[in-house]
Amino acid sequence: MMEEAPPDIKRRRISAADDSPQDISSLTDLPSGILAHAASFLAAPSRALFAVALDEKSAASPNERSAAIVGSQWDILDFGEIEKELAAKLLDVDIQAVLLCIDAINNVKRLKLANCIHIDGTGLEPLRGSLIIEQIDLSLVGEHENPDISLFPPIFCDRVLPILDSIIEREGCALKHIQFPYLWRWVPSTESEFHAFCRRYNLMWRDREEIRCLGCNTRLPTGG
């Protein structure tokens, strides 16, 4: 029978910044610099998920450790960069934690929720009122993939549209492109909540002298 390793082998000791010995019994005991270096080899979404996993409080108020891990360059958050199986396991609580951890409302310009097929949209709440978000891809599929996914996506209009409204209602809104779920775009009734939002979205662009197609979001000419 294998003998249990003595405690001095289970626990490692390293020197802290002031050269004083420091006990290391878990990842959370490692200095921020070491964790940040290790996380630098991960895809961006995985890096944020790593930071959230290490510190439960990092989602609500990013501390020094999580800030060091995630960094500040978050123009693009693309969940298509991580394994498809991992993205499919993410829930709204995970998406929300990541968005809060990276301060998405002040950093993210392009959001792609590729393969996040188990979210209902409530996790996008941290983007409410964003003035810098330019592109949101809600199709839940990766680039060049068939948008007509066989699984009926749980992402709901009534969860997402109020957040999108809070963005387009703000003066100085930067939102230029929204890729909607395939099934939303094929709702037959033009009186649906989705079509009502599209009219509000196009009204915003009309006020800016730009009108966009309800189906593909292509800019359309104005005038006669």
Side-chain angles (χ1 to χ4, degrees):
M1 185 173 68
M2 183 178 295
E3 295 183 359
E4 184 178 356
D8 60 335
I9 294 180
K10 285 184 178 180
R11 298 170 66 98
R12 302 284 182 177
R13 295 170 69 87
I14 66 172
S15 296
D18 58 359
D19 293 328
S20 60
Q22 181 179 355
D23 286 331
I24 300 298
S25 58
S26 68
L27 282 176
T28 55
D29 294 327
L30 289 170
S32 299
I34 293 177
L35 293 171
H37 177 70
S40 67
F41 295 94
L42 300 174
S46 292
R47 195 162 68 244
L49 288 166
F50 178 55
V52 171
L54 284 177
D55 191 343
E56 295 180 354
K57 295 182 179 179
S58 66
S61 179
N63 60 19
E64 179 183 352
R65 179 174 59 205
S66 60
I69 292 172
V70 300
S72 59
Q73 298 300 313
W74 285 97
D75 286 359
I76 301 174
L77 175 58
D78 182 1
F79 285 92
E81 296 178 359
I82 63 176
E83 294 83 354
K84 193 171 185 177
E85 294 76 12
L86 174 58
K89 293 179 180 178
L90 298 178
L91 304 176
D92 285 272
V93 64
D94 304 311
I95 302 298
Q96 182 172 13
V98 166
L99 293 176
L100 288 171
C101 184
I102 65 175
D103 192 21
I105 192 172
N106 294 312
N107 288 314
V108 174
K109 295 181 179 180
R110 297 171 60 190
L111 172 65
K112 299 182 179 182
L113 296 168
N115 306 312
C116 297
I117 58 174
H118 286 118
I119 64 172
D120 63 22
T122 55
L124 301 179
E125 185 64 30
L127 291 175
R128 182 177 289 273
S130 171
L131 283 174
I132 69 166
I133 190 79
E134 298 177 355
Q135 177 181 345
I136 302 177
D137 188 342
L138 303 170
S139 67
L140 308 185
V141 296
E143 292 186 12
H144 311 302
E145 292 185 355
N146 184 354
D148 185 10
I149 54 180
S150 57
L151 178 67
F152 192 97
I155 190 166
F156 297 126
C157 281
D158 61 353
R159 308 290 174 83
V160 176
L161 295 186
I163 298 171
L164 295 180
D165 272 321
S166 74
I167 295 173
I168 68 172
E169 288 171 354
R170 296 201 63 183
E171 186 69 28
C173 164
L175 189 58
K176 301 175 182 177
H177 181 86
I178 308 173
Q179 186 69 28
F180 295 105
Y182 178 82
L183 290 178
W184 288 16
R185 290 181 277 136
W186 288 99
V187 173
S189 174
T190 57
E191 301 304 317
S192 67
E193 293 182 13
F194 168 65
H195 285 86
F197 170 79
C198 288
R199 287 191 289 271
R200 293 192 297 273
Y201 182 57
N202 277 336
L203 180 61
M204 179 197 74
W205 283 109
R206 190 185 69 181
D207 291 342
R208 300 182 183 185
E209 298 183 346
E210 291 185 19
I211 299 179
R212 295 181 176 257
C213 171
L214 290 178
C216 64
N217 203 48
T218 302
R219 181 176 176 179
L220 301 176
T222 60

